[in-house]
């Protein structure tokens, strides 16, 4: 049976070693049977799960909705709450406790902010809007974006019933920016990575890696039928705006065309063209991915593997040579038998193209759209 599974603390916790440690209700847990912490650019909030062995005389006093902090290399990498518990007995009377939960950004996903009327006023940028909504829940904001916002909004409309996250996500897509969880109760504003900051090759500490290609959602041609801003004077067939797959030649022997009707009024066809470009780029990017599992939690420079990192990939064994991809998901895992590892999923930069959207406000400047 497991022994010495926790150490009681009486003051703010400061890790003394670089080892993985979890602090719950002033107790530090280090003897995990299993552990996983996952961050993603495409899922807010981040999540954690851990399993502890225990016995009746030494049962961890962990309650639902208690705060959780996870430390690695003496730094906090996660802050959230315990939301699920499972207590089980298996063969030979092995007694285990499995707990899991989400980071502090769960408050954005679960909560419905209430403002007078149906708009949030005095907003000049996406960062302003993030500070306004995140401030309701005690969530910090980190702005890593170098791109300027397209225009000041002043008044931001929203739908009754919107969560804080649905408001922020909508306006981030309009501005062409990413929003994701840093893991310890802060929202990150960022641009999609464009410069390689790490290398993945056969000299990396890889335990497994794979390449996946799926063209079922790709087409040689993308045609978007324009719905004009006004149809009063329209005669004949509506105009069509088109884009092609970056590798359209692979469909040379097929009449593979996707036709979409633009359901949003569009004064000059700009939205229809951007929508066609977005479909071609996004579907191409999503059709190719690389998954890698590496020993440990850090790269060659001692830094934690992170989301939104562009990696230069050279793995001839899976036929990926001199390619560049961006990490979408990072999962840190620990197993009592095999130790620590990091699993990452990477996509081409095109996979993070933003769907064109328009905001219905009186300011004509807000009808311009981010590039796809």
């Amino acid at each position: 049976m497991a022994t010495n599974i926790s150490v009681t603390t009486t003051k703010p916790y400061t890790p003394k070693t670089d080892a993985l440690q979890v602090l719950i209700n002033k107790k530090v847990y280090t003897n995990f049977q299993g552990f996983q912490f996952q961050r993603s650019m495409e899922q807010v909030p981040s999540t954690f799960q851990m399993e502890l062995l225990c016995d009746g005389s030494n049962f961890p006093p962990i309650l639902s909705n208690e705060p959780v902090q996870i430390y690695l290399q003496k730094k906090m990498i996660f802050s959230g709450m315990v939301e699920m518990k499972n207590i089980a007995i298996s063969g030979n009377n092995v007694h285990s406790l499995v707990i899991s939960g989400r980071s502090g950004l769960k408050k954005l996903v679960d909560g419905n902010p209430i403002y007078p009327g149906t708009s949030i006023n005095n907003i000049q940028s996406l960062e302003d809007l993030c500070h306004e909504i995140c401030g309701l829940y005690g969530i910090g904001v980190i702005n890593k974006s170098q791109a300027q916002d397209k225009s000041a909004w002043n008044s931001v409309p929203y739908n009754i019933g919107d969560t804080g996250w649905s408001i922020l996500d909508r306006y981030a897509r309009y501005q062409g920016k990413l929003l994701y969880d840093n893991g310890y109760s802060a929202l990150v504003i960022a641009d999609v990575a464009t410069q390689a900051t790490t290398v993945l090759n056969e000299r990396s500490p890889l335990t497994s890696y794979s390449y996946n290609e799926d063209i079922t959602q790709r087409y040689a041609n993308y045609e978007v039928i324009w719905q004009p801003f006004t149809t009063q004077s329209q005669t004949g067939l509506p105009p069509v705006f088109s884009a092609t797959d970056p590798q359209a030649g692979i469909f040379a022997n097929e009449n593979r065309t996707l036709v979409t009707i633009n359901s949003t009024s569009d004064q000059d066809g700009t939205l229809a063209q951007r929508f066609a470009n977005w479909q071609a780029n996004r579907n191409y990017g999503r059709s190719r991915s690389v998954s890698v599992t590496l020993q440990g939690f850090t790269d060659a420079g001692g830094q934690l593997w992170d989301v939104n990192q562009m990696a230069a990939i050279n793995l001839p064994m899976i036929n990926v040579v001199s390619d560049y991809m961006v990490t979408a998901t990072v999962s840190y895992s620990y197993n009592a038998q095999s130790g620590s590892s990091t699993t990452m999923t990477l996509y081409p930069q095109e996979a993070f193209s933003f769907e064109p959207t328009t905001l219905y406000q009186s300011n004509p400047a807000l009808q311009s759209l981010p590039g796809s």
Side-chain angles (χ1 to χ4, degrees):
M1 290 293 179
T3 58
N4 299 322
I5 68 168
S6 64
V7 178
T8 301
T9 64
T10 57
K11 59 182 180 180
Y13 181 63
T14 302
K16 294 183 173 57
T17 71
D18 288 341
L20 177 67
Q21 301 171 49
V22 177
L23 179 67
I24 306 174
N25 190 23
K26 299 183 179 180
K27 292 183 181 294
V28 181
Y29 297 88
T30 59
N31 72 320
F32 315 107
Q33 183 68 13
F35 172 89
Q36 185 177 68
F37 163 46
Q38 179 169 294
R39 294 178 58 214
S40 174
M41 289 202 298
E42 303 182 297
Q43 178 180 326
V44 170
S46 55
T47 61
F48 89 98
Q49 177 176 298
M50 72 177 194
E51 179 182 6
L52 298 168
L53 296 182
C54 47
D55 58 44
S57 63
N58 196 20
F59 198 84
I62 297 174
L63 303 176
S64 294
N65 221 33
E66 281 194 310
V68 178
Q69 289 87 41
I70 300 172
Y71 297 85
L72 185 64
Q73 295 181 323
K74 300 178 183 177
K75 297 178 181 178
M76 185 186 295
I77 63 171
F78 177 89
S79 176
M81 309 295 285
V82 176
E83 295 188 294
M84 290 174 277
K85 297 196 303 182
N86 176 267
I87 304 170
I89 300 289
S90 58
N92 298 322
N93 265 345
V94 176
H95 200 174
S96 67
L97 169 67
V98 177
I99 64 171
S100 60
R102 298 176 293 166
S103 78
L105 265 66
K106 74 184 184 71
K107 299 171 185 176
L108 283 180
V109 175
D110 297 344
N112 300 101
I114 304 298
Y115 292 93
T118 56
S119 67
I120 307 170
N121 298 319
N122 301 316
I123 300 299
Q124 299 301 312
S125 66
L126 176 62
E127 184 176 1
D128 283 350
L129 184 62
C130 289
H131 278 296
E132 171 65 31
I133 293 178
C134 290
L136 298 175
Y137 305 105
I139 295 170
V141 177
I142 301 172
N143 189 357
K144 295 183 177 180
S145 173
Q146 301 299 312
Q148 295 295 315
D149 286 1
K150 296 199 310 298
S151 58
W153 300 323
N154 188 33
S155 179
V156 173
Y158 71 97
N159 301 314
I160 296 175
D162 265 341
T163 64
W165 174 251
S166 63
I167 297 171
L168 294 178
D169 180 56
R170 182 162 60 250
Y171 284 86
R173 286 187 286 112
Y174 170 75
Q175 293 288 2
K177 297 182 183 180
L178 293 170
L179 295 180
Y180 55 86
D181 187 352
N182 78 336
Y184 45 97
S185 295
L187 181 69
V188 178
I189 307 170
D191 309 311
V192 179
T194 57
Q195 304 244 338
T197 57
T198 189
V199 175
L200 293 173
N201 56 35
E202 292 176 338
R203 293 186 298 276
S204 303
L206 297 165
T207 59
S208 65
Y209 52 100
S210 64
Y211 169 72
N212 181 68
E213 184 170 330
D214 180 354
I215 65 169
T216 56
Q217 301 304 310
R218 283 170 57 184
Y219 293 79
N221 301 292
Y222 296 83
E223 296 183 351
V224 178
I225 298 176
W226 176 36
Q227 178 176 310
F229 187 76
T230 174
T231 58
Q232 292 180 355
S233 60
Q234 180 182 321
T235 59
L237 294 174
V240 174
F241 294 80
S242 62
T244 58
D245 185 278
Q247 297 176 319
I250 65 175
F251 302 108
N253 297 321
E254 300 179 60
N255 181 21
R256 190 165 174 80
T257 299
L258 178 67
V259 177
T260 305
I261 298 175
N262 173 31
S263 60
T264 302
S265 293
D266 181 10
Q267 188 166 5
D268 58 4
T270 300
L271 180 61
Q273 184 61 64
R274 292 187 182 276
F275 191 75
N277 294 344
W278 169 75
Q279 287 183 313
N281 288 328
R282 174 85 172 186
N283 289 1
Y284 166 76
R286 288 286 148 171
S287 74
R288 303 170 58 241
S289 65
V290 167
S291 294
V292 299
T293 298
L294 305 105
Q295 297 172 357
F297 297 139
T298 58
D299 61 18
Q303 299 298 311
L304 279 173
W305 293 105
D306 202 356
V307 296
N308 199 25
Q309 282 185 298
M310 178 172 279
I313 304 176
N314 192 41
L315 296 170
M317 292 288 287
I318 57 172
N319 201 30
V320 180
V321 180
S322 299
D323 207 343
Y324 295 87
M325 293 189 178
V326 178
T327 52
T329 301
V330 178
S331 180
Y332 311 95
S333 300
Y334 174 81
N335 181 280
Q337 286 72 46
S338 57
S340 59
S341 64
T342 302
T343 298
M344 299 190 295
T345 300
L346 304 94
Y347 291 98
Q349 187 184 12
E350 292 89 342
F352 305 99
S353 298
F354 295 94
E355 179 179 0
T357 184
T358 187
L359 304 179
Y360 290 103
Q361 293 194 6
S362 57
N363 184 352
L366 295 181
Q367 299 303 316
S368 60
L369 302 169
S372 294

